[in-house]
Amino acid sequence: MILTQIDIRGLRNLREASLSPAPGFNLITGANGAGKSSVLEAIHCLSVGHSFRTRKVRELITRGEDEFTLACQMLDVASEQTHRSGLRRHRDGTTELRLDYEEIRSIAPITQILPVKALTPDSHALIQDGPSGRRSFIDWGTFHVEQGFFDAWKVYRRALSQRNQSLKDNAPDSEVNSWDEQLVSAGTQLDAFRRNYTVSLQSTLTELLRSMETVFHVELSYRSGWSDGIDMAEALAKSFQNCRRFRTTTVGPHRAELQISTDGVLARQILSRGQQKLLVYAMHLAQLILLHTITNKPAIVLCDDLPSELDREQSGKILGQIAQLNSQVFLTSTEPQSLENTPIEMFSIAGGELRKGV
Ligand SMILES: Nc1ncnc2c1ncn2[C@@H]1O[C@H](COP(=O)(O)OP(=O)(O)O)[C@@H](O)[C@H]1O
Ligand SMILES: [Mg+2]
């Protein structure tokens, strides 16, 4: 899917901005604080409903306004079908969603047809920070390639939240355990989906790192969120006293971890900051390659301020790989950029005013 028209109203300093992007590379240039990242945040919101910088809608709404509104036109290049979608989010927390003129309740059908991958500054946080970012990373890929993933995830979230509420309320054992069957069934499915996905991602990543001639090898290892060698049902039964003590469910896919190591040592302990950044970009790229290979769906790529993250040679390698995916790409930079053999559509922004050209 590619975006052919984007309309933004009331998001950060973008009071009213529109663009008709090219199907390939698009570059948005402007001074610091001009609104470049905000345009990328808007595109990210169109796909998943929230920004890559925050999940708090109040931060995104232009100060003094009550809501932001986004609309887009998309083209499925393979089928030549056009779609339209729209999103309005209010300060009071309500959200309105439309897909092809019909109101919808969940954004999942839009996310499904409009995969967006954000490559952002502070990329090394994926390696340095806690496991939740790495779970989201795995889930991004798994959601887009495993048909049953989203349904299992919904059932799991609901059963987990109900079970945790029962634990918080100190409810009788029978009430807490009444959620176990659903939790184990959906949790076991999620575990298998993520595990399979990690295996595929590992081989794509290994090949990619080889072709990029990086000096390090990387092993990805998925840990379920319970002890090795037993299934989730047994782990949940064994954890009951702990769940009571901490008043929350202490085992399951919500406690899973993606271990990233190189030669048997955790990447965060052994790789330099620069190597970590390059590795994170390669990991995202491997997801894009895998998505393209499995589903033939190119995701839209948002690349915020790449020159601040990687040196010229590294960013050249990354952009060269992205160019091979035939994806629609949105880059931001304070300076105009050029790419070998790849035309770039230019946009410039100043004080939230977006226009075509430099
Ligand atoms: N809720 C908001 N309302 C109005 N302006 C905002 C809001 N949030 C951020 N801004 C402003 O929007 C501008 C654009 O930020 P950003 O997109 O990060 O700029 P850039 O990426 O070009 O450096 C900044 O000047 C920031 O102060
Ligand atoms: Mg920025």
Side-chain angles (χ1 to χ4, degrees):
M1 194 71 72
I2 58 165
L3 291 163
T4 51
Q5 172 73 24
I6 304 165
D7 298 302
I8 306 166
R9 189 181 287 224
L11 187 138
R12 296 206 191 268
N13 69 339
L14 308 171
R15 292 196 168 271
E16 206 159 340
S18 292
L19 74 160
S20 311
F25 278 73
N26 296 275
L27 173 67
I28 302 159
T29 58
N32 281 327
K36 303 179 296 296
S37 301
S38 306
V39 176
L40 302 194
E41 287 183 285
I43 298 170
H44 195 264
C45 282
L46 278 164
S47 170
V48 294
H50 61 83
S51 159
F52 49 84
R53 289 205 283 202
T54 177
R55 284 185 176 250
K56 292 187 188 125
V57 64
R58 280 159 185 266
E59 288 179 26
L60 290 180
I61 297 170
T62 304
R63 274 187 291 277
E65 299 294 329
D66 285 330
E67 65 201 22
F68 72 76
T69 308
L70 305 171
C72 72
Q73 255 181 57
M74 317 168 238
L75 175 69
D76 184 340
V77 180
S79 70
E80 294 185 2
Q81 268 190 339
T82 305
H83 297 278
R84 282 162 198 272
S85 77
L87 164 72
R88 178 173 294 144
R89 296 196 65 186
H90 298 259
R91 206 168 269 281
D92 66 11
T94 52
T95 299
E96 294 157 54
L97 288 162
R98 272 177 300 117
L99 177 59
D100 293 330
Y101 304 105
E102 271 183 45
E103 277 197 31
I104 52 174
R105 285 177 53 205
S106 150
I107 198 158
I110 301 178
T111 313
Q112 218 131 33
I113 61 169
L114 187 69
V116 169
K117 165 64 85 187
L119 309 176
T120 59
D122 293 332
S123 54
H124 57 280
L126 186 71
I127 289 177
Q128 284 289 338
D129 290 0
S132 73
R134 290 183 289 279
R135 285 194 293 269
S136 304
F137 169 82
I138 283 294
D139 286 347
W140 184 92
T142 316
F143 173 89
H144 286 296
V145 302
E146 294 281 3
Q147 287 272 315
F149 177 81
F150 184 59
D151 285 339
W153 185 84
K154 267 192 306 194
V155 172
Y156 187 79
R157 293 305 307 177
R158 184 166 168 274
L160 180 66
S161 124
Q162 300 282 357
R163 189 179 194 269
N164 285 345
Q165 192 58 51
S166 304
L167 286 164
K168 231 176 242 125
D169 297 344
N170 222 355
D173 289 2
S174 60
E175 198 180 311
V176 174
N177 292 331
S178 68
W179 298 103
D180 291 8
E181 203 180 304
Q182 269 186 40
L183 198 70
V184 167
S185 155
T188 305
Q189 283 181 57
L190 287 184
D191 186 62
F193 285 141
R194 283 174 170 174
R195 212 166 263 289
N196 286 341
Y197 180 76
T198 305
V199 171
S200 311
L201 189 65
Q202 170 78 73
S203 53
T204 311
L205 181 63
T206 302
E207 206 172 305
L208 176 65
L209 291 176
R210 195 179 302 132
S211 75
M212 287 170 62
E213 297 174 340
T214 56
V215 290
F216 50 85
H217 305 279
V218 170
E219 303 104 46
L220 301 176
S221 153
Y222 181 74
R223 316 300 299 261
S224 295
W226 65 81
S227 305
D228 289 341
I230 57 175
D231 63 18
M232 186 179 161
E234 193 181 340
L236 194 63
K238 279 189 170 160
S239 71
F240 195 72
Q241 290 312 319
N242 262 344
C243 293
R244 278 290 186 206
R245 188 143 63 97
F246 295 109
R247 297 191 168 205
T248 191
T249 304
T250 57
V251 296
H254 63 292
R255 293 289 174 99
E257 169 66 297
L258 176 72
Q259 268 185 5
I260 307 166
S261 36
T262 172
D263 295 326
V265 183
L266 285 180
R268 72 163 162 272
Q269 292 167 355
I270 195 164
L271 295 185
S272 71
R273 183 56 66 92
Q275 287 176 319
Q276 290 181 21
K277 284 178 184 285
L278 187 63
L279 172 57
V280 170
Y281 276 85
M283 286 170 62
H284 286 299
L285 203 51
Q287 287 203 316
L288 292 164
I289 295 168
L290 191 57
L291 177 69
H292 199 206
T293 311
I294 297 177
T295 67
N296 208 19
K297 278 197 295 194
I300 289 172
V301 183
L302 310 178
C303 218
D304 197 13
D305 210 0
L306 193 61
S308 76
E309 285 287 282
L310 301 179
D311 64 32
R312 259 185 109 77
E313 190 192 329
Q314 289 174 333
S315 55
K317 276 186 188 172
I318 295 289
L319 291 175
Q321 293 281 349
I322 292 176
Q324 286 180 28
L325 292 169
N326 282 328
S327 289
Q328 188 175 38
V329 184
F330 293 84
L331 305 169
T332 67
S333 172
T334 48
E335 302 294 329
Q337 308 273 317
S338 62
L339 277 174
E340 236 175 274
N341 307 324
T342 310
I344 307 186
E345 187 87 351
M346 307 286 258
F347 297 89
S348 63
I349 189 163
E353 299 275 333
L354 183 66
R355 62 184 183 84
K356 206 170 161 176
V358 273

